[in-house]
Amino acid sequence: MNNFEFKNPTKIIFGKGTIEKLESEIPTDAKVLLLYGGGSIKKNGIYEQVTKALLKVDVIEFGGIPANPEYSVLMEALQVIKDKGINYLLAVGGGSVIDGTKFLSAAAVYDGDTPWEILTKNVKTQKGMPFGTVLTLPATGSEMNSGAVITRAETKEKLAMGGPGLFPEFSILDPQVISSIPERQLVNGITDAFTHVLEQYMTYPIEASLQDRFAESILQTLIEVAPKVIKDPTDYKPAADFMWSCTMALNGLIQKGVPGDWAVHMMGHELTALFGIDHARTLAVIAPSHYKYNFEAKKEKLAQYGERVWNITEGSIDDKAYAAIEKTEAFFQGLGIDTKLSDYTKDYEGTAEEISKRFTARGWKGLGENQDLSPDKVEKIVKMAY
Ligand code: NZQ
Ligand code: ZN
């Protein structure tokens, strides 16, 4: 196992009926900006629960943060923060609203020329404006990590940011919120969380047995609960397992002491930026090709995953590793997720070259756990995913 330091300061408040606990988490003298998305919270009762718990504090609302949080919309919210003297942010939503709130937390204290630099110059925010979250969609893990991904439609860019000062102070996780989530978003959440685990696991063996088993247990739990939450999202038990699995998949714990890949996400983000494909679906498009292309480097972990997660017991390391890739792709397809770029767009020709060009322009010479995935290799992987 590699050396590591681990600190995750986010307080998790998990369970049935926990949204009312908001009341005791936000300082009474706070001037709060309540941030939300396209309005699902106004149809499913979450908005009422939140506003009831906030009766004692001064609150201004900002709705309309779109999926793949858009820079220009967030700049409007930043203006509200400045004009109204806001000193506390509350995100009520999924990854998009939470990520947008993290950007605002950083932008509110940023003293550079333009907040977009936080993304292009990789500014690590040490202390942002404090914020909490009420999670409405299990998927990204953003409720317990310090990263965010922001989109800029004008330039068709989608870039990541983060910093130790961008952990939520608290996150409220009431699994009952999933009852109103459309199937499309439920399967996105399962696929995203599943891939988060793969990014931190599907590298090379490093004898970090506990980390491996943490990762495998999250994958097994997601596989087990997937059909149940799709069949009946009001069923509390699988909803709770699903929600906690998504948080645990990306709160930093399973990444400690082990190499990380994350190339699937880097390529996937470009597909969202170029075509607007849902984040999770881009991962299902890239992952199978990525694992086939990097087969030699990853086959031992692929085979271990095949054995332990999919019960593949027959054949050589190569056989098991290959079967594991096929199982993974079939799992995504079984959720109703298409795994080829051409399933989403007819205009896929030239995509691989464009992504490779973008990576070169950004100076990204080598992605992946071995930092050897150069833009020309990225081009090949994306082409395999057509
Ligand atoms: O906007 P509203 O009306 O609220 O509707 C949302 C949205 O349309 C809806 N929804 C959310 N909760 C609901 C609900 N509908 C009914 N009932 C509920 N309880 O679901 C739609 C999608 O929401 P969104 O927040 O976009 O989804 P998700 O949580 O999958 O977030 C995706 C974003 O997170 C980023 C992605 O790139 C993408 O921009 N990611 C963030 C990460 C992080 N911060 O750690 C890591 C991830 O890898 C990912 O990149
Ligand atoms: Zn993701």
Side-chain angles (χ1 to χ4, degrees):
M1 206 184 311
N2 296 330
N3 291 3
F4 67 86
E5 292 182 11
F6 184 46
K7 178 177 180 183
N8 188 317
T10 302
K11 173 177 177 181
I12 294 293
I13 302 169
F14 188 99
K16 256 184 208 176
T18 43
I19 294 177
E20 64 182 37
K21 297 204 172 174
L22 250 183
E23 193 178 350
S24 45
E25 294 303 320
I26 296 186
T28 43
D29 58 351
K31 184 140 191 197
V32 179
L33 186 62
L34 161 57
L35 295 137
Y36 60 93
S40 69
I41 63 164
K42 297 213 166 163
K43 294 185 204 126
N44 55 19
I46 296 174
Y47 177 80
E48 281 74 21
Q49 293 178 65
V50 167
T51 46
K52 197 173 155 205
L54 291 177
L55 281 175
K56 289 188 193 143
V57 281
D58 194 356
V59 183
I60 293 174
E61 292 179 19
F62 186 94
I65 297 176
N68 305 312
E70 163 57 32
Y71 180 67
S72 59
V73 176
L74 296 170
M75 290 303 282
E76 290 170 30
L78 185 61
Q79 201 55 50
V80 176
I81 292 171
K82 295 197 164 151
D83 292 348
K84 305 285 183 186
I86 299 292
N87 58 20
Y88 203 100
L89 308 173
L90 177 65
V92 183
S96 293
V97 174
I98 300 176
D99 282 11
T101 301
K102 287 177 181 172
F103 169 78
L104 292 170
S105 164
V109 300
Y110 184 63
D111 59 7
D113 291 342
T114 151
W116 187 244
E117 291 168 1
I118 298 171
L119 294 124
T120 53
K121 293 189 177 167
N122 200 15
V123 174
K124 298 279 175 223
T125 302
Q126 298 300 321
K127 191 171 174 8
M129 182 174 282
F131 68 99
T133 89
V134 175
L135 181 67
T136 67
L137 173 52
T140 63
S142 189
E143 66 278 8
M144 200 180 175
N145 69 39
S146 59
V149 195
I150 305 299
T151 294
R152 192 169 186 176
E154 192 191 348
T155 51
K156 289 200 169 177
E157 283 172 287
K158 181 169 171 120
L159 298 175
M161 56 172 279
L166 295 178
F167 283 95
E169 293 208 320
F170 67 87
S171 283
I172 298 187
L173 277 55
D174 181 344
Q176 293 176 120
V177 298
I178 84 156
S179 58
S180 61
I181 300 176
E183 184 169 323
R184 165 175 161 186
Q185 301 298 346
L186 283 175
V187 298
N188 282 353
I190 295 161
T191 303
D192 193 21
F194 198 88
T195 313
H196 291 159
V197 179
L198 294 181
E199 296 270 38
Q200 301 163 88
Y201 173 96
M202 208 59 78
T203 57
Y204 49 84
I206 187 167
E207 294 185 342
S209 304
L210 183 60
Q211 302 303 63
D212 278 0
R213 289 197 166 90
F214 278 151
E216 289 151 2
S217 65
I218 298 170
L219 297 173
Q220 285 169 319
T221 308
L222 286 167
I223 292 166
E224 195 176 293
V225 300
K228 297 180 189 168
V229 293
I230 294 164
K231 185 166 170 239
D232 182 9
T234 67
D235 186 355
Y236 184 79
K237 283 184 192 167
D241 278 329
F242 169 42
M243 193 172 238
W244 189 226
S245 294
C246 293
T247 303
M248 288 298 287
L250 196 49
N251 65 1
L253 180 69
I254 67 169
Q255 184 66 84
K256 294 299 149 194
V258 299
D261 179 345
W262 294 106
V264 176
H265 270 69
M266 292 325 206
M267 290 180 257
H269 287 164
E270 298 305 321
L271 297 182
T272 302
L274 290 167
F275 301 109
I277 304 168
D278 291 352
H279 169 64
R281 289 165 200 258
T282 68
L283 308 176
V285 165
I286 297 291
S289 302
H290 180 62
Y291 296 140
K292 280 179 199 158
Y293 185 83
N294 294 290
F295 190 81
E296 281 305 314
K298 290 177 181 292
K299 67 183 184 187
E300 287 181 52
K301 287 304 284 286
L302 276 164
Q304 177 180 311
Y305 154 76
E307 280 172 21
R308 295 189 186 175
V309 175
W310 293 110
N311 299 316
I312 300 165
T313 51
E314 303 288 312
S316 62
I317 296 267
D318 284 37
D319 294 339
K320 288 176 186 166
Y322 194 79
I325 300 174
E326 300 218 301
K327 280 277 188 192
T328 309
E329 189 164 8
F331 175 61
F332 296 148
Q333 289 169 345
L335 296 172
I337 298 226
D338 290 321
T339 55
K340 287 285 170 204
L341 183 57
S342 51
D343 296 323
Y344 297 90
T345 175
K346 289 193 183 70
D347 296 327
Y348 55 84
E349 288 299 347
T351 305
E353 290 83 351
E354 171 62 23
I355 294 178
S356 163
K357 212 165 74 189
R358 286 175 166 214
F359 283 17
T360 304
R362 286 186 207 137
W364 292 1
K365 295 197 183 82
L367 299 184
E369 66 275 19
N370 295 313
Q371 296 179 346
D372 62 353
L373 218 58
S374 47
D376 59 310
K377 293 179 183 166
V378 163
E379 189 174 320
K380 291 189 181 120
I381 294 168
V382 177
K383 255 187 199 149
M384 283 165 68
Y386 283 0

